[in-house]
Amino acid sequence: MAHLRFKALDLVQSRDKVEFKLPEGKISDFFGELAFGTEQMKSSLSSEVFKKVDKAIKRGKKIDAETAEAVAAAVKTWAMSKGVTHYTHWFQPLTGATAEKHDSFFDPSKGMEQFKGSALVQQEPDASSFPNGGIRSTFEARGYTAWDPSSPIFIIDTTLCIPTIFVAYTGEALDYKAPLLKSMEAVDKAATRVCKLFDRNVTQVTASLGWEQEYFVVDKALFDARPDLVMAGRTVFGHNPARGQQLDDHYFGTITPRVFEFMKEFEYECQRLGIPVMTRHNEVAPAQFECAPMYEEVNKGTDHNQLLKDVMDKVALKHDLKILFHEKPFAGLNGSGKHNNWSLITDTGVNLFQPSSSARENLQFLVYLVCTLKAVHEHADLLRASIASAGNDHRLGANEAPPAIVSAFIGEQLTSVLNELENNRDVQVDKGDNVYMKLGIDKIPEIILDNTDRNRTSPFAFTGNKFEFRAVGSDANVANPMTVLNTIVAERLNQFYGEVSARIDKEGVDKKLAIIGKLRDYVQESKAIRFEGDGYSDEWVVEAEKRGLSNVKDTARALDFYVSDAAREVFKKNNIMTDIELDARHEIMLENYIMKLQIESRVMGDLALNHILPTAIAYQNKLINNAQGLKELGIDNSEVIATIEKISEYASSVKSNTLAMIEARKKANNIEESRERAIAYCDDVKGAFFDKIRYAVDKLELFVDDEDWPLVKYRELLFIR
C-alpha cells in the first residue's frame, strides 16, 4: 500500500487540468436538447395528442394506448435522429441509486428499428433482485416499471431513458418515486381546497423543490489508494491535516483550475438534459463544493438531482477526479448536506409562502405558514426518520449541520406576528378589514423584506418565501423527505379545511374569523416546535426535552418513527403507503444501515490488522535495531526506547479493539430481528469500537515514519491544483 500511495502522489503531481471548451453561443441554444420536453412534444405530436399528454403531465391523468403509440413513434424518431440505439426504463429502487436495463430499438427478427407504445409504458425487471423488504420472494420475481409522463424523457450517450415508477407484481411500491407522486397529489388536493377559501380560480397547487447539492472532489489516484474510500465512501482512518478549514479561506474562494474545468463540463451536460443548474461555489471544507438549480416541480427536481449525481460521476472520471457524496467522508472537516427548499405554487402563479402587499392575501400566507408549522410539530419524528442514514448520523448534531432535534425557525419578526395572533383576542368580534391591522398582518411584507437573516442551526427554517429543510444528507434521494413533508402538510391542510368549514357552515361564524380562530389554536398548539436560538448548544438539548421534542441521534432508533401508529395513520389516510409498504421500507432501511456499518467495520479491520499493524511493527523493529546500536556506542537511547514502548502500547490497543470489534460484529450478525441487529451494530460494533480503534491508529501515526505509513493523508487527499 505504501508503494501505491507514492505512485498515486507522483501521478497527482504530474496532472494538469483537462480543458473543456464550451460550444459557442448561449446556454439557451443547447439547454434541454437531450430532453423530450414540452417544446419537442409540441413540434412532433399532433395538437390532439399533445393536449392529452399535457393533461396527463399536469393532472396525473392516464394515457390511453393510442396516445402512447403516438408518443412512442415521435420519441423514437427524435431519439434516433440523435444517434440513439437503445432505450431503458430509468427508475429509482430503494438502493438509493438509479437503475436501468437497456433494450435495443433494432429487432433482428423484423430487420428494423421499432419502439412500441407498450415498451414506452411498461417494462418488467426482476423485483426480487432489488430491496423489497420481504414483499417479493425469489421465486416470485415479477415486478413492473411504468412510465411517469410528468418527468421528461432524456438521452444519456446512445440510450433513451424513460423515467418510471417501480412496483411489485402485487402493486406495492418498490421505489422512491411512486410514493412521491402520491404525496404530490395529496398536497395538491388539500392545498387547493384551502386556496378556494381565498380564491375560487385556483384549481391546482404544485409542490416546488430547489435543492442545494454539497460534495467533495478528490483526485482519482488518491481515491484509489484509499480502500476505505473505495469501499465505504469515507475515510475510516486518517490524521487531520494541520491546515483544514480553520482559516475559513476555502468558502466562496477561487475555484481551482482542474475543478473549474470539471464544473464547466458537468454543468454543460446537465443543461443539455434540461437540468437548470444555476449556482456553483466552494464550500467550507477544503475540496468541498456546492451546486444548485432553479426551482422545479418536486418530482422533476428529484429526478434531476439523481441524474445530476450520475452525470457528475461520469464527467469527473474524464478529469481524473472522483466525487464523494458521503455525508462525512473526512473526520474533522465539515460534512455534506443537501438543503431542500420547498414551497407550494398555485396554477394562478402565487407562491403560497410569499407574503404580499395585500393584507388580505397575507391571511392566506399565514394559513400555509402556520399549517406547515403545525404539521412539522405533529410529525417531527417522522421527518427525523426521513433523513436517517448511516452517513447522516456522522453529520447531524455536529457544529456544521442541524441537530437531530427537529425544530423550525421563522425569525424574530414573524414570531412576533404569531405571538400577536395568539394573544390578541379582540378580533373575535371584528368582521372588518381592521382585523388585519390589529393583528399586524398588514405589516408582514415589510417584515419579510427586513427578515433576511438565517439560522443555519435550524433543521427546518422559513427563509422569506419557502421552507428550507437543511437536515437532508448529501447522498440521500430527496424523494424520501419530500414525500413525508408533502404528506404531513396535506394531512394538516385537510384538517384545517374541515375544522374551518364546520365553524362557517354549522356555527355561522364569519369566514375570516373562523380562519383566524383556528390559526390561533394552531399557533398555540405548535409553539414547542419553534426555536430561534443556537441549535448546537447544550442548553437547547435541555430545553427541547422540556418541550417534549425527540433527540434520537442514531438511525437504528430513528427509523422506528416510520412504523409508529401516527406514521401509519397519516400515510394510509392520504393513500401514500400501506402497512405492507411501510414495514418493507423499514426493513430495507434497517438492512441498509446494517450493511453500511458492516462494510465500514470490515474495511477498518482489514486496514488495521493487515496494513497498519505490520507497518508499525516493521518500523518498531527498525527502532529496536537503532536502540541496540546506540547502546553499543554508549549513547543514551531512552527516547528511542520510549517511542518503541508507545508504538507497542498503541499497536496492542489497535489489535485488541479490532479483534473485539470483529467478535461483536459476528455476534450482531446472529441476531435475527433486523431492528435489534441494527441497534447492536450501532452500539456494540460502531459505538464501542470505531472511535477506540481510530484513536489508537491516530496515535500510532504520530510515532511511525511517514514514508512507511500505508494510507494517503488527509492533506494529500484534499490537494487539487
Side-chain angles (χ1 to χ4, degrees):
M1 278 189 66
H3 174 70
L4 178 62
R5 172 193 174 197
F6 292 121
K7 184 178 178 180
L9 289 171
D10 288 341
L11 187 57
V12 171
Q13 295 301 321
S14 66
R15 292 211 203 279
D16 200 356
K17 67 180 181 182
V18 178
E19 291 195 19
F20 174 72
K21 185 174 177 58
L22 279 166
E24 294 182 2
K26 307 181 296 295
I27 292 175
S28 55
D29 294 337
F30 56 80
F31 184 81
E33 67 180 7
L34 297 182
F36 194 70
T38 302
E39 293 305 314
Q40 286 83 354
M41 285 191 291
K42 276 185 177 179
S43 62
S44 59
L45 300 173
S46 69
S47 59
E48 183 180 349
V49 171
F50 174 75
K51 286 179 182 177
K52 288 183 179 179
V53 177
D54 191 51
K55 191 174 183 179
I57 293 171
K58 292 178 179 177
R59 299 293 178 183
K61 301 296 182 182
K62 289 186 178 180
I63 291 179
D64 57 59
E66 184 180 351
T67 302
E69 287 292 347
V71 173
V75 167
K76 186 190 80 168
T77 301
W78 169 76
M80 289 184 63
S81 72
K82 295 182 178 296
V84 169
T85 60
H86 289 67
Y87 68 92
T88 183
H89 276 202
W90 183 81
F91 58 104
Q92 299 168 35
L94 297 172
T95 58
T98 57
E100 51 199 62
K101 174 175 73 79
H102 296 199
D103 289 314
S104 176
F105 281 145
F106 178 68
D107 186 341
S109 66
K110 294 186 170 60
M112 60 183 291
E113 282 78 12
Q114 65 176 20
F115 182 54
K116 294 186 176 181
S118 57
L120 168 68
V121 171
Q122 183 175 299
Q123 269 191 335
E124 185 182 334
D126 186 343
S128 69
S129 298
F130 291 98
N132 61 66
I135 289 178
R136 305 300 292 150
S137 302
T138 301
F139 61 88
E140 298 173 316
R142 293 183 74 178
Y144 296 108
T145 50
W147 177 34
D148 168 24
S150 67
S151 190
I153 295 169
F154 57 91
I155 295 171
I156 294 289
D157 295 326
T158 59
T159 302
L160 182 74
C161 300
I162 304 159
T164 60
I165 63 169
F166 178 40
V167 298
Y169 177 71
T170 45
E172 292 89 0
L174 296 176
D175 69 343
Y176 288 106
K177 181 184 277 278
L180 177 65
L181 292 174
K182 291 181 179 180
S183 76
M184 290 172 61
E185 182 181 2
V187 79
D188 169 22
K189 290 180 178 178
T192 300
R193 288 175 74 197
V194 173
C195 272
K196 289 186 180 296
L197 293 171
F198 301 91
D199 183 358
R200 290 286 176 183
N201 294 319
V202 175
T203 60
Q204 186 177 26
V205 174
T206 302
S208 172
L209 171 66
W211 40 262
E212 304 166 34
Q213 178 70 59
E214 295 175 342
Y215 59 97
F216 280 83
V217 178
V218 297
D219 188 277
K220 187 177 184 301
L222 298 179
F223 172 86
D224 291 338
R226 293 286 312 219
D228 46 1
L229 271 183
V230 173
M231 296 292 178
R234 76 181 187 98
T235 53
V236 296
F237 295 128
H239 213 64
N240 289 346
R243 177 172 173 173
Q245 63 190 54
Q246 60 267 52
L247 295 178
D248 298 322
D249 55 344
H250 190 257
Y251 189 54
F252 277 25
T254 302
I255 300 170
T256 56
R258 285 182 66 195
V259 175
F260 186 64
E261 294 299 318
F262 154 71
M263 285 180 169
K264 286 196 302 184
E265 185 168 359
F266 97 70
E267 286 180 355
Y268 167 70
E269 295 297 342
C270 285
Q271 287 157 351
R272 295 180 72 203
L273 289 163
I275 305 174
V277 285
M278 302 280 288
T279 302
R280 62 186 179 215
H281 64 82
N282 288 9
E283 256 300 331
V284 173
Q288 186 186 34
F289 306 91
E290 179 181 298
C291 65
M294 188 176 69
Y295 292 87
E296 299 182 284
E297 171 265 332
V298 167
N299 182 40
K300 189 186 294 186
T302 297
D303 282 3
H304 280 168
N305 183 247
Q306 290 294 103
L307 182 54
L308 169 123
K309 292 195 292 182
D310 289 343
V311 170
M312 289 175 71
D313 279 335
K314 292 176 182 177
V315 172
L317 293 177
K318 294 182 182 180
H319 294 260
D320 298 309
L321 299 170
K322 190 68 181 176
I323 308 301
L324 306 180
F325 291 112
H326 193 286
E327 284 77 12
K328 191 75 170 180
F330 305 106
L333 297 175
N334 273 15
S336 297
K338 181 149 49 192
H339 304 169
N340 287 1
N341 295 281
W342 174 86
S343 56
L344 297 172
I345 314 293
T346 71
D347 56 352
T348 58
V350 175
N351 178 352
L352 295 171
F353 292 115
Q354 175 70 61
S356 164
S357 58
S358 164
R360 294 189 182 191
E361 291 178 7
N362 282 326
L363 181 58
Q364 177 176 265
F365 157 74
L366 282 179
V367 166
Y368 288 92
L369 176 82
V370 173
C371 282
T372 301
L373 292 173
K374 173 71 169 166
V376 171
H377 178 244
E378 290 177 314
H379 299 285
D381 291 341
L382 185 53
L383 277 176
R384 169 66 183 93
S386 76
I387 55 169
S389 71
N392 220 17
D393 280 358
H394 295 288
R395 173 177 165 266
L396 294 178
N399 285 3
E400 64 194 62
I405 305 166
V406 174
S407 65
F409 168 85
I410 61 173
E412 183 180 345
Q413 291 84 358
L414 268 180
T415 295
S416 67
V417 172
L418 296 194
N419 289 342
E420 182 72 19
L421 177 62
E422 177 188 1
N423 298 322
N424 191 339
R425 302 283 170 172
D426 294 340
V427 300
Q428 290 285 15
V429 294
D430 192 333
K431 296 184 180 181
D433 286 351
N434 189 44
V435 64
Y436 301 119
M437 187 178 298
K438 286 185 176 180
L439 291 174
I441 294 175
D442 59 324
K443 296 179 181 178
I444 286 179
E446 59 190 81
I447 285 174
I448 296 302
L449 287 173
D450 193 48
N451 183 26
T452 54
D453 197 12
R454 286 187 175 187
N455 186 331
R456 295 197 172 275
T457 71
S458 175
F460 195 80
F462 182 74
T463 55
N465 61 359
K466 62 190 180 299
F467 278 98
E468 184 180 17
F469 194 11
R470 302 187 66 252
V472 182
S474 171
D475 200 34
N477 187 318
V478 296
N480 209 29
M482 290 299 96
T483 295
V484 170
L485 185 55
N486 286 340
T487 302
I488 63 176
V489 172
E491 172 70 5
R492 178 41 54 193
L493 288 172
N494 280 328
Q495 292 188 20
F496 174 83
Y497 181 84
E499 291 163 351
V500 167
S501 297
R503 292 204 67 192
I504 295 170
D505 299 337
K506 296 179 181 179
E507 301 176 28
V509 177
D510 175 78
K511 181 171 71 173
K512 192 187 316 175
L513 294 182
I515 291 171
I516 289 172
K518 186 48 60 178
L519 287 182
R520 180 181 291 115
D521 293 341
Y522 284 5
V523 168
Q524 188 171 16
E525 293 162 2
S526 63
K527 187 184 294 186
I529 204 67
R530 300 198 326 254
F531 178 64
E532 308 298 308
D534 181 3
Y536 298 155
S537 67
D538 294 335
E539 291 79 9
W540 170 230
V541 174
V542 176
E543 173 63 22
E545 186 176 4
K546 290 179 181 177
R547 296 186 184 191
L549 304 180
S550 299
N551 183 15
V552 180
K553 297 181 180 180
D554 61 80
T555 292
R557 294 171 177 85
L559 292 177
D560 289 347
F561 299 134
Y562 246 114
V563 288
S564 66
D565 291 342
R568 290 181 187 277
E569 182 181 359
V570 73
F571 279 126
K572 289 191 292 183
K573 190 175 178 180
N574 289 279
N575 194 34
I576 310 300
M577 284 185 278
T578 64
D579 279 334
I580 292 174
E581 290 170 317
L582 285 170
D583 287 334
R585 278 160 200 271
H586 184 233
E587 180 76 12
I588 289 166
M589 288 185 285
L590 284 171
E591 287 298 322
N592 181 271
Y593 176 76
I594 292 166
M595 291 303 138
K596 287 190 174 179
L597 290 190
Q598 186 180 98
I599 291 168
E600 289 185 14
S601 172
R602 285 176 170 169
V603 168
M604 186 176 281
D606 174 57
L607 289 175
L609 297 180
N610 300 323
H611 299 281
I612 291 171
L613 283 182
T615 300
I617 292 169
Y619 185 68
Q620 187 181 46
N621 289 336
K622 291 181 183 178
L623 292 181
I624 291 172
N625 290 334
N626 178 256
Q628 289 173 341
L630 291 174
K631 183 179 180 181
E632 290 172 2
L633 294 171
I635 300 173
D636 181 18
N637 64 0
S638 58
E639 288 189 10
V640 178
I641 295 295
T643 300
I644 293 170
E645 290 173 346
K646 283 294 183 182
I647 291 175
S648 179
E649 175 189 347
Y650 292 121
S652 176
S653 177
V654 169
K655 183 176 181 179
S656 61
N657 280 298
T658 300
L659 293 176
M661 177 190 67
I662 293 170
E663 288 304 311
R665 188 176 71 232
K666 290 178 181 178
K667 185 177 179 181
N669 288 339
N670 289 325
I671 299 174
E672 185 174 347
E673 208 273 314
S674 294
R675 180 183 180 275
E676 298 307 315
R677 188 163 68 254
I679 290 175
Y681 261 96
C682 177
D683 297 347
D684 302 336
V685 179
K686 173 189 173 186
F689 297 108
F690 276 26
D691 286 343
K692 289 180 181 178
I693 298 170
R694 185 180 296 111
Y695 173 81
V697 170
D698 283 350
K699 288 294 184 181
L700 265 183
E701 188 175 359
L702 295 176
F703 295 99
V704 176
D705 192 318
D706 269 354
E707 291 188 2
D708 289 327
W709 196 251
L711 296 179
V712 174
K713 305 290 187 67
Y714 280 9
R715 59 180 173 269
E716 297 164 352
L717 265 172
L718 300 172
F719 175 69
I720 301 178
R721 291 183 293 114

